Amino acid sequence: MRKTLNKIYTFLIYLFLYAPILVLIVQSFNESKYRGKWEGFSFKWYVEMFQDRTILLSLRNTLLIALIAATVATIIGTIAAIGIHKMKPFSKGLVMNATYLPVLNPDIVTGISLMLLFAFISIPLGFTSLLLAHITFNIPYVILNVLPKLKQMNQNLNEAALDLGASPWYAFQKVILPEIMPGVLSGFLFALTLSIDDFVISFFTTGPGVSTLSITIYSMTRKGIKPEINALSSLLFVVIMLLLLLVNSGNNKKNQKLEKNY
Amino acid sequence: MKKYASAPAYPYVIWMLIFIIVPLLLVVWYGLFKVENGNIQFTLEYFARFFEPVYIQVFIRSILLAVISTAICLLIGYPLAYILAGSTFKNKSVLLFLAIVPMWMNFLLRTYAWLTILEKNGIFNQVLRFLNLPDQNLLYTPYAVILGMVYNYLPFMIIPIYNALEKMDHSLVEAAADLGANKRKVFRKIIFPLSLPGVVSGITMTFMPAVTTFVISKLLGGGQSTLIGDVIENQFKVSNDWNFGSALSLVLMIIILLSMRIMTKYEEENAGGGLL
């Protein structure tokens, strides 16, 4: 009895969480241009989205900015984490407090503060400002992912390498990097996701002519979302879901193997 | 050698100063200072505008809607986290994963999809008609905004609570049961207090985006439920009043800082007293 109730409850919450997504996917197959009416099943929008310049350009911008920003943020953030790890407690505290600022601050405040900065140093709002903004809000997440790995690592390994004649760069490549790699990777993925998903900060730091998918979608909400966007998002959603499931099942298999070995 | 050990952090420190510290100082500058006849002056006139009745109303509405949404998230999210954590399903991480997956679809689109569900001849009303119930016009009311907030931020409530329940030492529950506590008492005295850190971070993670949003209120509130975020957005995107916009942003930052202060303090007190 209790079990059934639990199942019904879980089902209802998941229905709530997935209802809009189901609506979107169904709409993407709707022949009609208008969201209220169902006029039959069609792949029309999946074909037409590849002919829509605005959508393709926004998709390109989204992916380009996310990839560059996440890569740059991962490099700066990882190197920074190594330095921060060695800092004296006082300066470490200062730097970490500043690092937490973009994480804790509301997105809208981060967005407008960067907008003010770009006006102040007269960088025109556009691709460059957007990229700088994305790198900025990505770095803290990389640092927060890498620092714990540095703390867990055996602190003597690096010194041993240096004592045995490795140059600092060689020691970094051969000793530190392999140890912190999981943190670096998860930081990169975190940054990538945040970048792709961001709307608010991009909204305040981009200029005319440069749109990411989120910004294009937002400007469409006033006139009505184009069905091509539904098609594109449904496609992206299914691809991401499959990738995640694949990674997940891969991990599970690995875990099972590990369990067998021990 | 030792002296330069923290040198790798320097490029980041410079980046941080330029892109994190200076921008926030600029917000303070625009919100609290003005230049008059070449003199820099401290001024509270932009702050004073915040106390005009219109904006006080907006402020109260923002807090109220965020508090209600957070409370609903807690009320419906806690049981789900509890069910998931106690589930005997062999792959329960998959269930949790399924609660996060929706966030992989653009949140503007997901929020916009609620229009199709809530509008006059939308799916919700059709279900009501099928059940012979009267139509409900939820769209463009504060209820729709609350629904949008609950929908968007519910996973932020579920995840930390689930994590806290997962980490809990189950022998405590068994010990309490062995000592004669009934189920309700075990929950009230053991499980709930131990899950409090998760509840606290869930509340913070839900309340903060809810009180600062301007998208959900625009899409689902249809301009009827202006929130503080909408007013700030308006100052920077439409009326170009950066001074007032910055002053409001400072107010927003103060709200966030205060609520975090309260939450962490609450957590500390409970971490000290709850277990012993």
Side-chain angles (χ1 to χ4, degrees):
Chain A
M1 179 61 198
R2 201 194 165 92
K3 267 204 162 153
T4 339
L5 274 178
N6 284 354
K7 270 186 191 150
I8 294 171
Y9 186 78
T10 313
F11 173 77
L12 284 177
I13 301 277
Y14 279 82
L15 182 69
F16 174 61
L17 289 174
Y18 279 86
I21 292 176
L22 289 176
V23 168
L24 270 172
I25 293 179
V26 170
Q27 271 173 356
S28 74
F29 292 109
N30 186 359
E31 175 81 29
S32 164
K33 218 176 143 80
Y34 304 101
R35 58 186 153 82
K37 259 189 287 175
W38 177 257
E39 284 181 2
F41 186 88
S42 149
F43 278 112
K44 184 162 96 184
W45 308 116
Y46 285 84
V47 179
E48 282 186 21
M49 72 185 188
F50 290 107
Q51 273 129 36
D52 192 309
R53 262 186 64 81
T54 326
I55 293 178
L56 289 183
L57 216 62
S58 330
L59 177 66
R60 194 202 68 154
N61 280 339
T62 306
L63 296 178
L64 207 60
I65 286 183
L67 277 174
I68 302 177
T71 310
V72 175
T74 306
I75 295 169
I76 300 182
T78 305
I79 296 172
I82 291 169
I84 292 170
H85 182 62
K86 295 276 179 194
M87 276 184 169
K88 298 203 177 74
F90 179 71
S91 32
K92 191 175 181 174
L94 273 183
V95 174
M96 282 317 284
N97 273 331
T99 302
Y100 271 112
L101 276 174
V103 180
L104 300 178
N105 248 342
D107 278 355
I108 189 171
V109 175
T110 308
I112 60 124
S113 71
L114 283 165
M115 180 183 167
L116 292 178
L117 174 82
F118 294 133
F120 182 64
I121 54 179
S122 32
I123 291 181
L125 293 181
F127 193 88
T128 316
S129 59
L130 196 57
L131 189 60
L132 288 170
H134 276 239
I135 295 172
T136 303
F137 74 73
N138 278 342
I139 296 177
Y141 292 94
V142 176
I143 295 180
L144 294 176
N145 270 294
V146 174
L147 263 187
K149 295 282 163 217
L150 283 165
K151 264 183 215 147
Q152 282 166 18
M153 174 181 160
N154 183 341
Q155 306 301 327
N156 300 321
L157 281 178
N158 194 37
E159 276 175 33
L162 294 176
D163 284 347
L164 291 168
S167 69
W169 172 240
Y170 190 80
F172 169 74
Q173 275 178 298
K174 295 288 174 183
V175 178
I176 300 180
L177 200 56
E179 289 276 322
I180 61 172
M181 207 52 195
V184 175
L185 270 181
S186 62
F188 176 77
L189 285 179
F190 227 104
L192 199 67
T193 318
L194 284 172
S195 256
I196 293 178
D197 216 42
D198 176 68
F199 163 69
V200 176
I201 296 172
S202 309
F203 182 63
F204 287 103
T205 51
T206 190
V210 184
S211 287
T212 61
L213 267 182
S214 296
I215 291 171
T216 306
I217 292 169
Y218 184 71
S219 61
M220 279 181 185
T221 53
R222 270 164 260 173
K223 297 167 284 178
I225 297 261
K226 281 191 178 178
E228 288 96 329
I229 285 279
N230 291 337
L232 177 66
S233 316
S234 307
L235 196 68
L236 287 176
F237 182 73
V238 171
V239 169
I240 290 171
M241 184 122 176
L242 286 177
L243 277 177
L244 287 174
L245 281 176
L246 218 69
V247 173
N248 208 3
S249 71
N251 277 347
N252 276 347
K253 270 195 194 131
K254 232 194 265 165
N255 288 343
Q256 276 165 11
K257 257 189 201 158
L258 278 175
E259 272 163 25
K260 259 183 209 163
N261 286 340
Y262 287 100
Chain B
M1 181 65 225
K2 260 262 148 78
K3 206 176 163 193
Y4 298 109
S6 59
Y10 297 165
Y12 164 66
V13 170
I14 294 169
W15 184 288
M16 181 189 84
L17 287 174
I18 299 175
F19 291 101
I20 299 177
I21 305 297
V22 172
L24 289 176
L25 290 178
L26 283 171
V27 175
V28 175
W29 166 257
Y30 274 100
L32 288 176
F33 293 90
K34 65 173 176 183
V35 181
E36 215 164 65
N37 314 321
N39 291 327
I40 296 170
Q41 260 181 350
F42 177 81
T43 175
L44 285 175
E45 70 176 78
Y46 311 122
F47 257 101
R49 279 189 62 194
F50 171 73
F51 292 98
E52 288 171 20
V54 202
Y55 297 119
I56 287 292
Q57 218 182 348
V58 168
F59 176 76
I60 293 172
R61 186 186 298 131
S62 303
I63 301 275
L64 200 66
L65 291 189
V67 167
I68 295 174
S69 312
T70 308
I72 297 176
C73 280
L74 181 61
L75 279 178
I76 65 177
Y78 195 102
L80 185 76
Y82 186 77
I83 292 172
L84 290 188
S87 156
T88 46
F89 189 60
K90 68 171 183 274
N91 240 339
K92 59 180 169 182
S93 64
V94 173
L95 280 177
L96 184 72
F97 173 71
L98 281 176
I100 310 169
V101 162
M103 297 209 282
W104 279 85
M105 190 174 243
N106 185 290
F107 92 100
L108 291 162
L109 275 182
R110 281 185 291 131
T111 310
Y112 189 77
W114 278 102
L115 290 179
T116 316
I117 299 174
L118 296 180
E119 66 197 349
K120 211 162 173 241
N121 291 312
I123 296 166
F124 183 63
N125 274 340
Q126 282 174 17
V127 171
L128 286 182
R129 278 173 215 165
F130 180 75
L131 298 171
N132 275 326
L133 292 166
D135 277 18
Q136 298 290 328
N137 285 323
L138 288 174
L139 198 57
Y140 305 138
T141 66
Y143 299 108
V145 179
I146 293 175
L147 182 120
M149 287 177 175
V150 172
Y151 171 73
N152 271 298
Y153 307 130
L154 184 60
F156 296 154
M157 183 66 86
I158 295 172
I159 295 160
I161 297 178
Y162 173 88
N163 285 338
L165 288 170
E166 267 290 290
K167 269 194 302 199
M168 194 176 66
D169 185 354
H170 271 276
S171 50
L172 287 172
V173 176
E174 282 161 28
D178 284 348
L179 293 169
N182 60 17
K183 273 196 167 169
R184 184 175 300 220
K185 201 161 190 183
V186 170
F187 180 78
R188 221 157 36 93
K189 294 278 181 187
I190 310 282
I191 300 176
F192 188 70
L194 284 176
S195 68
L196 262 183
V199 172
V200 168
S201 60
I203 290 176
T204 327
M205 284 169 73
T206 323
F207 178 76
M208 291 215 299
V211 82
T212 63
T213 184
F214 67 94
V215 180
I216 297 172
S217 46
K218 270 228 161 71
L219 287 182
L220 299 177
Q224 303 293 309
S225 326
T226 312
L227 302 182
I228 194 165
D230 296 291
V231 181
I232 295 178
E233 186 250 357
N234 203 46
Q235 304 312 313
F236 284 93
K237 283 284 183 173
V238 186
S239 51
N240 267 323
D241 188 345
W242 291 6
N243 299 104
F244 184 45
S246 298
L248 283 177
S249 304
L250 290 173
V251 173
L252 210 53
M253 283 170 75
I254 294 168
I255 299 175
I256 297 297
L257 280 179
L258 276 181
S259 52
M260 286 206 322
R261 230 321 93 88
I262 295 169
M263 292 321 276
T264 44
K265 197 161 177 207
Y266 189 74
E267 192 175 13
E268 274 162 18
E269 275 170 11
N270 270 286
L275 257 177
L276 298 171

